[in-house]
Amino acid sequence: MILLEKAAELSNLVVAAAAAVGAFTAWRGLNTWRDQNRWQVDHELARRALIATYRYRNAIESVRNRSISKLEMMPEKPLHGASWLTLDGNRLAIERRWKRVGDVRVEIESILIEAEALWGDRLAWNFKKIFEIEKTLLQASRAFLRSIDESIGKDEKSQALAQVKELGNIHFESQPMEEDSFKIDFEDRIQAIEKYLKELMEGGRK
């Protein structure tokens, strides 16, 4: 009888131990699944953010490209007597370039909302600094267009030329790069974002 009782107790202990091991294995498996799922979510969002960052960089570089093609200056509908080499042509080309920047900005703003929910505000903070640089470039673009506008008054044109001089070589890229302070600052900030996103793609939440 005693042996039967001890056997029953041992059986209960074995069952309890097996249940504990099973529960631990299930818990561990669930955590592994959650970690893997979280990594997949981080990886996909970081990948999208990195691609959008590169597209944004390329769009900004396009704005600063000194070379403006005739194709960029062509209106959607031919204008009678209009020349491609007029203010309207330059404005049209520059506006088209800025539209590409705006299109990517919309995508980035959407990504930043998702990123803040998952990672906090670090990515948004980095982009905020870049958007401040972009604002300066936009001011330079507007000043450049006013400076070549022959239809404005002498005083307004002088103000535009003074603003172009004040902003320096911001609107168009400078050669060599060592003298292009805008490009150096912009690239440094892009690289910081690139490094952060690549770390997230590799599984390192910061």
Side-chain angles (χ1 to χ4, degrees):
M1 190 70 177
I2 296 176
L3 290 176
L4 289 176
E5 291 176 354
K6 288 186 176 181
E9 291 176 1
L10 180 59
S11 177
N12 290 335
L13 289 173
V14 170
V15 171
V21 171
F24 175 77
T25 302
W27 172 81
R28 188 172 183 179
L30 180 60
N31 281 346
T32 300
W33 176 82
R34 285 175 177 170
D35 289 343
Q36 184 178 12
N37 187 59
R38 186 177 68 178
W39 177 83
Q40 290 174 342
V41 171
D42 284 350
H43 184 277
E44 177 57 22
L45 182 56
R47 185 189 68 84
R48 285 169 48 212
L50 188 58
I51 292 173
T53 300
Y54 290 155
R55 290 181 57 227
Y56 176 76
R57 177 199 62 195
N58 293 345
I60 291 293
E61 289 177 351
S62 174
V63 168
R64 302 190 72 226
N65 189 347
R66 288 182 176 275
S67 176
I68 299 179
S69 69
K70 289 183 177 181
L71 184 62
E72 287 184 290
M73 300 173 74
M74 286 179 62
E76 294 182 6
K77 295 181 180 180
L79 300 176
H80 297 291
S83 169
W84 289 339
L85 303 178
T86 61
L87 168 67
D88 288 339
N90 281 287
R91 174 175 285 120
L92 185 57
I94 291 173
E95 285 177 352
R96 283 171 171 165
R97 292 177 176 185
W98 274 107
K99 183 180 183 305
R100 289 196 291 272
V101 174
D103 289 344
V104 182
R105 278 282 304 259
V106 171
E107 181 181 358
I108 289 175
E109 295 288 355
S110 176
I111 289 173
L112 290 179
I113 293 173
E114 293 184 62
E116 185 173 2
L118 291 175
W119 311 325
D121 62 356
R122 178 174 170 181
L123 186 62
W125 182 77
N126 277 303
F127 266 108
K128 181 180 178 181
K129 293 192 290 184
I130 285 188
F131 292 156
E132 290 172 356
I133 299 176
E134 177 197 315
K135 185 177 179 180
T136 303
L137 178 59
L138 180 59
Q139 292 173 346
S141 290
R142 289 171 174 167
F144 166 73
L145 289 174
R146 287 199 306 275
S147 72
I148 62 174
D149 188 351
E150 299 299 334
S151 68
I152 63 176
K154 185 177 179 180
D155 290 343
E156 188 177 351
K157 191 175 183 67
S158 296
Q159 291 176 358
L161 289 169
Q163 188 175 14
V164 169
K165 184 177 181 180
E166 178 185 354
L167 293 172
N169 297 325
I170 291 179
H171 182 254
F172 290 123
E173 59 188 2
S174 303
Q175 296 295 337
M177 180 179 170
E178 290 76 9
E179 298 177 4
D180 193 335
S181 59
F182 179 93
K183 186 175 183 65
I184 293 172
D185 194 12
F186 183 77
E187 285 292 336
D188 284 346
R189 298 182 188 278
I190 287 289
Q191 288 171 10
I193 292 175
E194 180 184 28
K195 181 176 182 293
Y196 173 59
L197 291 174
K198 285 185 174 180
E199 287 175 353
L200 287 168
M201 289 176 69
E202 293 170 358
R205 284 198 178 206
K206 300 294 184 183

